[in-house]
Amino acid sequence: MKLTLKIWRQKNAKSKGKFVIYKMENVSPEMSFLEMLDALNKKLVETGDEPVAFEHDCREGICGSCGMYINGHPHGPVPAVTTCLLSMRYFSDGDTITIEPWRALPFPVIKDLIVDRSAMDKIQIAGGFISVNTGAAPEANSILVQKKNAEDAFDSAICIGCGACVAACKNASAMLFVSAKISQYALLPQGRVEAKDRVRAMVEKMDELGFGNCSNTGACEAECPKQIKLTNIARLKREYYKAY
Amino acid sequence: MDKVLFSSVSKKFVMALAGLFLILFLPVHLAINFMLLKSDPGPFNKAAHFMATFPLIRIIEILLVSALLIHISYGIYIQIKNWMARPVGYAIGIKTKTSFFSKFMIWTGASVFTFLVIHFSNFYFIRLGFVKGNPDDFYSVAHELFRIPAYNYIYLLCFILLGLHLYHAISSAFQTLGLNHRFWTPVVKVFAWIYAIAIPAGFAVISITIWQFR
Amino acid sequence: MAVQIENTQYMEKLNAKIPDGPLALKWTNYKNSVKLVNPANKRKIDIIVVGTGVAGAAASSSLGELGYNVKTFSYHDSPRRAHAVASQGGVNAAKNYQNDGDSVYRLFIDMIKGGDYRSREANVYRAAEVSNQVIDHFAALGVPFARDYGGTLNTRSFGGVQVSRTFYAKGQTGQQCLLASYASLNRQIKKGTVTMYPRREMLDLVVIDGRARGIITRNLITGETERHSAHAVVLATGGYGTIFYLSTLAVNSNATAAWKAYKKGAFFANPSFVQIHPTSIPQMNEFQAKLTLMSESLRNDGRIWVPKTKADKRPPNEIPEEERDYYLERRYPAFGNLVPRDIASRAAKERCDAGYGVGPTGLAVYLDFRDSLNKQGKKAIEGKYGNLFEMYRTITGTDPYSEPMRIYPAGHYTMGGLWVDYELMTTIPGLYAIGEANFSDHGANRLGASSLMQIAADGYFILPVTIGNYLADQIRVPGIKAEGPEFEEAEKSVADRLDKLISISGKQTAASFHRRLGKIMWDFCGMTRNEKGLLKALELIKDLRDEFWKDLRVPGSLNDLNQELEKAARIADFLELADLLVTDALNRKESCGAHFREEYQTPDGEALRNDADYTYVAAWEYAGEGKPHILNREPLRFEEAEMKVRSYK
Ligand SMILES: Cc1cc2nc3c(=O)[nH]c(=O)nc-3n(C[C@H](O)[C@H](O)[C@H](O)COP(=O)(O)OP(=O)(O)OC[C@H]3O[C@@H](n4cnc5c(N)ncnc54)[C@H](O)[C@@H]3O)c2cc1C
Ligand code: HEM
Ligand code: SF4
Ligand code: FES
């Protein structure tokens, strides 16, 4: 199929960016979205241009590296997939596809479609852990966890830190991302011990970094490739109130 | 401690509480307003007088006004911060299908605010003496106002917008308070629909009846 | 470089330092006698850790907890993205929670046998021994492992073994283990014991007076080359399976760090031991950048078959039962679809090469769930494999509930890697290699779910102890400064090489060279190898390398984010490593584990080991640009495990 791509190009953090239009031919519906961009980049390099910079690694939806804003949706129009797993089957011949980087104050653009997501690490550094030194752990089965709680904790723990929730939120809020970690630990007895310190520290860091507040709009949940639920945010709030 | 009071979570907590407090008050206000439909101004004026003088109600009134002020100021503050969180926007707006009205809370809220200014200048400020009028006969003031078609249109429009504000506000407030439940959250959503329609409809019935039939 | 020379002089370099005593007590004895560094001195010692996979993150956090000054590097934007995040199936431990007769000893024997007797007994035993601590630690760190109703941990069975010892968190065990390690790393970053340097690629090792003293990195945002110094350097840089271009690995995984260490004097062990995983989604288009793994656990309920007639183009559901060849069940009645990975992969290749393959390319076999679906119902299957089925549907667009999956083998894991002794130290004093980056404990073939176990054991429990033995003698060495001729020389060579890459100004992209290299490796040094093919590969690799340095095109500039440059530098190293890999495959004139030389097989096509001549670790030594690699042998002795012919029939 033939496609028109409208891609945000920006040389580096300091320069101003603009959209550049590229025509693509012979795009196979079997390709993934990133393979389609690989094909574009091959063409660009061979004709002496700089390829479009974008982040990617595992290409199977687990590392959270990839992420671009495609036609008004983080990770594109198909729900519950990352950009790397987005198949070109979902586009049709003649489509124009507009590709932009994540937009948020704490996510400055580094180059083209690559943004700096270290703010998400900073929130995790503030408190996203359980304080156990190597060697200090008790026998694994001495900590019993209700099956249901273990499963719910898992459902929260599978967040891949891609930032699509921030990108989709009208307020660029990171609440879903933060609440996923808070929930995972809140649901496990191992995590309860320092639950109060954790939620205080993580919320404080999130605010400090300039993420917006939560309006309970639910765009995050709708765009999250791992289907992290809004119930996590309610749990974060409960944990926060309990902490004071 | 100051960090706690002004954290994103706390601010919304306070806003939600203040908002829910206002939500509790609206049916009371509506009930009193229904007395406007009686041909005898007595009960309404008595109720209004009672509301204006009974000490406990005075305390609640102060609470209400402060709740309103807190809600508004936090609302505006949060909104500005939210706008600042995305200095460079998208060329193609966010197309995610979500709770529609949640995106316009500041605008529906602002219209409610405009209305409240008019409303207060009509009644509250009379009592305070800022605006001329008879503070002992709000019944007549109301009836006169409702006979002005333009006032009616604004009144109706504002109540529709209030309804839209409240529809998202109610379920949102519960979520903000951390109350999210497999069974109860959908119930709250239904309640929000009913409330968001019933309250504006109630006020509208009164104003339209007076406008058209009295 | 086709020739190789043998080294007898430097045998002392290959001292594996295996502690004395009976196998089961070696680790305890070692810990009892290892030198310690007192807490006040630890603060004065700097350690560089390269890599933030489970191995690197675990080592960084544990060393930080001990009080060392740790500097941790990764080319990723965040430590959480390291490739270990993609491991699916689980992590092994000898807990025997199922009461099915498991023990440390059995896990040890399974690994030794699975590795086809080409691993070091003492190391394997220690990995098995530490496995229980690994599970305790992960559970304490909040990994949401699967649980039973009573709240205890659940396990499942995994290919090639008869006990149920694999702990798992659905199909995302690696993600959960990595995120737990990332969290403990974060805790140390917050405490200030670890400094994290993300988006830095290590491009050279600095060796001063024979000891590893630092690294040269490129800042991937600004393009600057930077010097970092320390008392010791730990490489936790993962495997090099991406040398095949198409593999199940994250596409940026590469061999650069290990290769630079090799060129600075670290020996590279068994490079040709590469595991080809039998069940990945086949290639679908020419631009494909990677192959997606469908977890081994699927073989518990799926049956593998091809049509009995060649080039049968009928849709699978129209092929009647009697016209299907369940070739694994036919050839290996005892283990059936659950034979180890190397055997399943070769059998699939054999069928496809014989013309029975399915799908548009003929390079695929069916993995069919029809019978299990009929027997257990859709719900049960969904409960076990829901996310894998979903992933298959997302990628291929066909529904595995109604049509069999198409699968084909793909490069997956490298058992080979930097040679290390019992202390995980390479042949360069002060340089350690942990995780998949070392030649590890998996011999010639790794059993499922034992990598997470080994990389966590290395990082959390082994290296933090053994490194003290070296550092105890380093306490009087004042803080190492990033200066002097060695740093200058290393930094200059990095800058020169990058400069050279960017100024070739040819016509072809780095990726196109990678794709061609991958094809050579896959065709001649993949699932099966033979002398003729390997010799041809050596020539092809050399030609490709020459072409690369003449016709590569890297656009953009040196001092900017430049992904093409990053790729080119990695592929330049792959082109060198490929040569060593093939040389090693040529040298090993036997078939063992994943290394299958067609010349050495039994009449019915099974691997034929040559224990008399090849019971050794081939540790290769760099001899200089253009010179043949030097072979050093570490003989393997099996005192506990009895050497048997692996049979799964
Ligand atoms: C699809 C798949 C599924 C798997 N499933 C399982 C399973 O179920 N169970 C199991 O036990 N094993 C499994 N494995 C194997 C396991 O995932 C790997 O062995 C493991 O990831 C290796 O981890 P590591 O910590 O050694 O290195 P990696 O996780 O590969 O990390 C390498 C790190 O080094 C950094 N790095 C590398 N080079 C440089 C450089 N030059 N400069 C700076 N930084 C550098 C990277 O940024 C990264 O942080 C699977 C593998 C694959 C591919
Ligand atoms: C009778 C009057 C009002 C009532 C009953 C009311 C009620 C509420 C409630 C309950 C919420 C939900 C809070 C939460 O989710 O935590 C809310 C949200 C909001 N209200 Fe009001 N409100 C009223 C008037 C106003 C006014 C006058 C304004 C502003 C000018 C306003 C602005 C907002 C905004 C911006 C939000 C959304 C905040 C966010 O989600 O980030 N409201 N309102
Ligand atoms: S919550 Fe979802 S959208 Fe947000 S970072 Fe995690 S996986 Fe991505
Ligand atoms: S590349 Fe890893 S999630 Fe997309």
Side-chain angles (χ1 to χ4, degrees):
Chain A
M1 50 188 175
K2 284 189 182 146
L3 295 172
T4 306
L5 303 177
K6 213 177 134 195
I7 303 179
W8 182 261
R9 301 299 310 259
Q10 181 172 337
K11 201 164 160 29
N12 53 41
K14 275 161 255 143
S15 58
K16 268 180 79 176
K18 61 171 194 299
F19 281 102
V20 178
I21 293 178
Y22 302 97
K23 298 266 181 217
M24 285 291 286
E25 277 164 32
N26 300 325
V27 175
S28 139
E30 306 250 277
M31 283 178 169
S32 75
F33 199 84
L34 297 189
E35 282 156 13
M36 186 272 295
L37 288 179
D38 288 341
L40 169 71
N41 278 347
K42 181 167 192 285
K43 213 171 70 179
L44 290 178
V45 174
E46 282 167 357
T47 53
D49 276 332
E50 267 206 63
V52 179
F54 63 88
E55 244 163 339
H56 64 105
D57 199 21
C58 72
R59 301 228 181 177
E60 57 182 62
I62 194 75
C63 72
S65 297
C66 66
M68 35 191 100
Y69 183 87
I70 302 162
N71 284 350
H73 294 276
H75 293 305
V78 183
V81 296
T82 50
T83 306
C84 55
L85 287 183
L86 175 63
S87 166
M88 293 312 291
R89 282 193 295 278
Y90 297 106
F91 296 90
S92 3
D93 193 33
D95 277 1
T96 297
I97 305 177
T98 308
I99 312 173
E100 306 174 58
W102 285 174
R103 296 288 190 193
L105 180 70
F107 289 175
V109 174
I110 291 176
K111 182 171 187 165
D112 298 343
L113 302 172
I114 300 182
V115 299
D116 180 356
R117 285 174 285 190
S118 55
M120 299 175 88
D121 288 322
K122 291 188 185 126
I123 300 176
Q124 300 290 353
I125 290 169
F129 47 74
I130 293 176
S131 302
V132 196
N133 277 4
T134 305
E139 206 309 307
N141 263 349
S142 67
I143 314 167
L144 298 181
V145 184
Q146 257 183 50
K147 190 174 165 68
K148 172 90 174 56
N149 281 357
E151 283 167 4
D152 288 350
F154 176 85
D155 288 343
S156 304
I158 57 173
C159 161
I160 57 174
C162 63
C165 44
V166 179
C169 176
K170 71 182 176 68
N171 309 334
S173 167
M175 204 67 90
L176 190 65
F177 165 74
V178 178
S179 70
K181 192 76 327 182
I182 295 287
S183 289
Q184 176 196 346
Y185 291 147
L187 285 161
L188 298 171
Q190 305 92 301
R192 288 251 45 109
V193 183
E194 51 191 328
K196 291 183 177 176
D197 294 333
R198 178 181 307 117
V199 70
R200 280 188 216 134
M202 289 179 83
V203 167
E204 192 183 307
K205 184 52 94 183
M206 169 181 83
D207 291 350
E208 182 192 311
L209 291 165
F211 289 100
N213 206 326
C214 174
S215 294
N216 303 322
T217 299
C220 50
E221 182 186 47
E223 297 291 0
C224 171
K226 296 291 145 185
Q227 297 175 294
I228 304 287
K229 295 276 167 296
L230 283 183
T231 42
N232 289 295
I233 297 186
R235 190 178 293 105
L236 176 145
K237 305 242 161 158
R238 288 201 294 279
E239 290 294 318
Y240 191 81
Y241 305 143
K242 273 194 250 168
Y244 289 99
Chain B
M1 200 59 197
D2 51 331
K3 278 200 181 124
V4 184
L5 282 180
F6 295 100
S7 80
S8 55
V9 176
S10 309
K11 279 195 295 250
K12 288 285 311 233
F13 179 75
V14 174
M15 248 190 103
L17 281 186
L20 286 178
F21 191 52
L22 296 172
I23 282 171
L24 281 180
F25 165 73
L26 276 175
V28 179
H29 191 321
L30 178 63
I32 296 173
N33 274 21
F34 265 109
M35 297 181 191
L36 282 172
L37 293 184
K38 298 198 174 206
S39 43
D40 173 12
F44 178 84
N45 279 343
K46 252 198 222 134
H49 184 76
F50 174 75
M51 299 291 277
T53 50
F54 191 70
L56 188 67
I57 303 281
R58 291 305 312 257
I59 296 170
I60 293 179
E61 186 180 296
I62 293 167
L63 284 178
L64 270 178
V65 173
S66 23
L68 190 64
L69 290 177
I70 290 174
H71 182 87
I72 296 171
S73 40
Y74 267 24
I76 294 173
Y77 179 78
I78 289 175
Q79 184 60 58
I80 291 173
K81 289 277 270 193
N82 287 349
W83 279 326
M84 278 165 42
R86 179 165 290 129
V88 183
Y90 293 111
I92 300 212
I94 299 170
K95 285 201 193 145
T96 316
K97 281 202 200 69
T98 50
S99 146
F100 182 76
F101 300 119
S102 68
K103 297 176 201 163
F104 305 103
M105 291 303 273
I106 189 67
W107 306 120
T108 49
S111 351
V112 176
F113 178 72
T114 325
F115 170 73
L116 287 176
V117 172
I118 303 172
H119 191 62
F120 282 161
S121 64
N122 288 333
F123 296 94
Y124 200 65
F125 294 163
I126 292 180
R127 210 171 66 213
L128 293 181
F130 293 162
V131 177
K132 269 220 302 274
N134 182 357
D136 290 328
D137 191 8
F138 280 169
Y139 181 91
S140 314
V141 179
H143 273 248
E144 257 160 54
L145 284 172
F146 284 142
R147 281 192 200 100
I148 310 168
Y151 188 85
N152 253 293
Y153 290 129
I154 295 173
Y155 191 81
L156 288 176
L157 180 72
C158 287
F159 268 106
I160 291 172
L161 290 167
L162 175 67
L164 302 184
H165 188 85
L166 293 180
Y167 169 58
H168 175 71
I170 292 174
S171 39
S172 174
F174 279 89
Q175 168 84 1
T176 299
L177 297 179
L179 306 172
N180 187 316
H181 190 270
R182 242 171 317 130
F183 177 74
W184 291 109
T185 299
V187 174
V188 167
K189 286 229 165 94
V190 173
F191 170 76
W193 262 120
I194 297 173
Y195 186 97
I197 294 172
I199 295 286
F203 280 99
V205 164
I206 297 166
S207 74
I208 293 172
T209 315
I210 294 173
W211 174 28
Q212 295 294 334
F213 302 109
R214 296 288 154 87
Chain C
M1 287 194 217
V3 247
Q4 81 207 23
I5 49 173
E6 303 246 342
N7 192 351
T8 42
Q9 290 160 337
Y10 293 111
M11 280 304 240
E12 76 274 15
K13 266 201 185 170
L14 274 187
N15 179 1
K17 293 193 230 149
I18 298 169
D20 293 334
L23 188 60
L25 288 179
K26 282 185 193 295
W27 182 229
T28 311
N29 289 347
Y30 177 86
K31 283 190 290 186
N32 288 341
S33 59
V34 67
K35 283 184 231 158
L36 301 174
V37 183
N38 92 35
N41 285 332
K42 284 194 181 111
R43 252 172 277 132
K44 291 186 231 148
I45 290 184
D46 301 322
I47 303 175
I48 285 175
V49 177
V50 188
T52 60
V54 169
S60 305
S61 57
S62 305
L63 293 170
E65 286 161 14
L66 288 173
Y68 294 109
N69 263 323
V70 184
K71 306 184 216 177
T72 302
F73 296 81
S74 161
Y75 56 70
H76 287 99
D77 67 314
S78 159
R80 67 179 296 152
R81 313 221 192 273
H83 168 64
V85 80
S87 326
Q88 299 176 349
V91 46
N92 285 338
K95 285 279 192 187
N96 192 28
Y97 283 162
Q98 304 290 349
N99 197 25
D100 55 2
D102 199 9
S103 64
V104 168
Y105 187 79
R106 253 186 223 281
L107 174 52
F108 154 74
I109 289 288
D110 281 339
M111 284 178 74
I112 291 279
K113 177 185 172 201
D116 220 355
Y117 307 92
R118 291 295 173 263
S119 43
R120 195 188 285 149
E121 270 194 342
N123 286 50
V124 176
Y125 194 90
R126 177 179 59 186
E129 185 180 342
V130 170
S131 69
N132 290 340
Q133 275 174 282
V134 166
I135 293 301
D136 293 344
H137 193 53
F138 276 142
L141 287 177
V143 170
F145 283 124
R147 302 253 167 189
D148 214 331
Y149 285 99
T152 52
L153 290 160
N154 234 342
T155 53
R156 63 179 166 206
S157 54
F158 233 59
V161 298
Q162 286 159 321
V163 291
S164 173
R165 65 159 76 101
T166 304
F167 294 79
Y168 64 101
K170 290 207 177 141
Q172 272 136 280
T173 321
Q175 181 199 25
Q176 294 312 316
C177 293
L178 180 73
L179 292 184
S181 308
Y182 163 70
S184 39
L185 174 64
N186 283 339
R187 177 166 157 249
Q188 294 308 310
I189 294 175
K190 186 178 182 185
K191 283 197 174 158
T193 58
V194 178
T195 312
M196 183 67 217
Y197 296 84
R199 294 190 195 272
R200 302 296 203 295
E201 181 148 9
M202 168 187 163
L203 292 180
D204 209 354
L205 177 76
V206 181
V207 180
I208 302 178
D209 298 333
R211 294 174 188 272
R213 289 301 192 199
I215 60 172
I216 306 293
T217 60
R218 178 169 184 268
N219 179 326
L220 299 182
I221 306 274
T222 63
E224 275 166 277
T225 47
E226 305 163 332
R227 304 171 179 188
H228 302 277
S229 57
H231 291 84
V233 177
V234 180
L235 298 185
T237 49
Y240 50 89
T242 35
I243 196 164
F244 290 103
Y245 186 67
L246 285 176
S247 77
T248 61
L249 269 77
V251 297
N252 294 317
S253 302
N254 66 81
T256 292
W259 190 248
K260 298 300 187 199
Y262 172 70
K263 291 180 92 171
K264 284 279 162 98
F267 290 4
F268 209 115
N270 299 337
S272 72
F273 287 173
V274 181
Q275 180 171 74
I276 311 289
H277 197 290
T279 54
S280 102
I281 303 178
Q283 186 177 5
M284 301 202 301
N285 71 75
E286 56 156 332
F287 273 98
Q288 199 151 330
K290 83 153 275 168
L291 298 169
T292 302
L293 182 77
M294 289 283 106
S295 168
E296 172 155 25
S297 55
L298 290 172
R299 287 197 277 141
N300 279 320
D301 287 302
R303 296 178 71 194
I304 294 178
W305 62 275
V306 291
K308 279 187 179 157
T309 28
K310 282 189 188 177
D312 191 337
K313 288 287 167 218
R314 283 176 293 174
N317 287 338
E318 284 173 23
I319 300 178
E321 188 62 21
E322 59 280 5
E323 290 175 44
R324 300 175 174 198
D325 175 15
Y326 295 91
Y327 58 87
L328 284 179
E329 296 167 27
R330 172 168 58 79
R331 284 179 65 180
Y332 307 97
F335 275 69
N337 292 297
L338 289 175
V339 290
R341 293 175 178 174
D342 51 338
I343 293 179
S345 293
R346 275 197 297 277
K349 177 175 158 52
E350 188 274 330
R351 282 293 84 188
C352 294
D353 288 352
Y356 297 95
V358 299
T361 53
L363 289 178
V365 299
Y366 290 125
L367 177 59
D368 200 339
F369 293 88
R370 186 192 61 185
D371 295 350
S372 303
L373 281 164
N374 288 343
K375 222 178 294 157
Q376 307 172 24
K378 188 172 167 180
K379 251 198 119 156
I381 296 295
E382 199 178 326
K384 286 192 234 179
Y385 314 112
N387 60 338
L388 292 168
F389 276 44
E390 207 38 62
M391 183 136 88
Y392 183 86
R393 196 210 319 258
T394 309
I395 292 173
T396 63
T398 53
D399 174 19
Y401 290 104
S402 55
E403 206 178 284
M405 285 184 181
R406 281 208 299 261
I407 51 151
Y408 197 67
H412 179 61
Y413 181 88
T414 45
M415 282 75 70
L418 292 174
W419 184 90
V420 289
D421 60 20
Y422 190 75
E423 300 188 309
L424 304 179
M425 185 149 88
T426 66
T427 46
I428 302 177
L431 179 69
Y432 291 79
I434 59 173
E436 195 177 338
N438 67 25
F439 85 111
S440 72
D441 309 337
H442 309 293
N445 175 53
R446 174 173 74 81
L447 287 182
S450 54
S451 168
L452 281 175
M453 170 190 120
Q454 172 240 332
I455 62 185
D458 282 5
Y460 281 118
F461 295 104
I462 301 172
L463 177 90
V465 177
T466 60
I467 203 170
N469 209 27
Y470 174 77
L471 292 173
D473 297 333
Q474 297 287 310
I475 47 178
R476 262 171 287 281
V477 179
I480 313 278
K481 296 221 168 60
E483 52 197 35
E486 290 87 354
F487 270 99
E488 264 155 41
E489 193 276 327
E491 188 179 1
K492 185 166 180 308
S493 80
V494 166
D496 289 351
R497 188 167 166 99
L498 294 173
D499 205 41
K500 202 168 149 199
L501 284 167
I502 211 162
S503 50
I504 302 170
S505 303
K507 283 192 288 298
Q508 302 178 55
T509 64
S512 63
F513 284 104
H514 194 177
R515 192 183 302 273
R516 284 163 66 194
L517 174 67
K519 184 146 175 32
I520 298 172
M521 299 307 286
W522 184 251
D523 289 348
F524 301 108
C525 198
M527 272 178 282
T528 63
R529 297 130 184 216
N530 60 52
E531 185 167 89
K532 207 172 123 238
L534 290 168
L535 288 172
K536 173 143 187 228
L538 281 180
E539 267 168 51
L540 292 173
I541 293 164
K542 186 179 176 309
D543 293 347
L544 191 64
R545 195 166 48 225
D546 293 345
E547 193 181 330
F548 176 86
W549 286 104
K550 276 194 211 103
D551 198 30
L552 172 75
R553 185 204 289 274
V554 177
S557 81
L558 282 173
N559 30 33
D560 221 340
L561 188 147
N562 189 338
Q563 292 176 314
E564 285 295 308
L565 181 65
E566 293 166 27
K567 258 189 263 177
R570 293 168 191 164
I571 292 157
D573 291 335
F574 273 138
L575 284 163
E576 297 179 9
L577 168 64
D579 188 87
L580 179 64
L581 211 149
V582 175
T583 306
D584 184 50
L586 261 176
N587 169 64
R588 196 169 278 277
K589 296 188 176 54
E590 64 161 349
S591 295
C592 59
H595 171 67
F596 191 85
R597 284 281 299 262
E598 286 163 6
E599 303 95 317
Y600 310 101
Q601 50 178 308
T602 61
D604 51 355
E606 303 301 334
L608 189 61
R609 251 181 16 228
N610 177 350
D611 290 339
D613 299 325
Y614 290 96
T615 311
Y616 65 75
V617 177
W620 297 90
E621 179 179 357
Y622 184 66
E625 202 68 54
K627 299 220 184 87
H629 310 281
I630 304 169
L631 173 67
N632 299 268
R633 299 168 183 196
E634 181 204 338
L636 293 169
R637 278 180 211 93
F638 291 90
E639 284 157 8
E640 287 284 338
E642 186 195 345
M643 290 182 93
K644 289 192 202 146
V645 175
R646 255 186 356 151
S647 170
Y648 295 91
K649 283 197 192 276

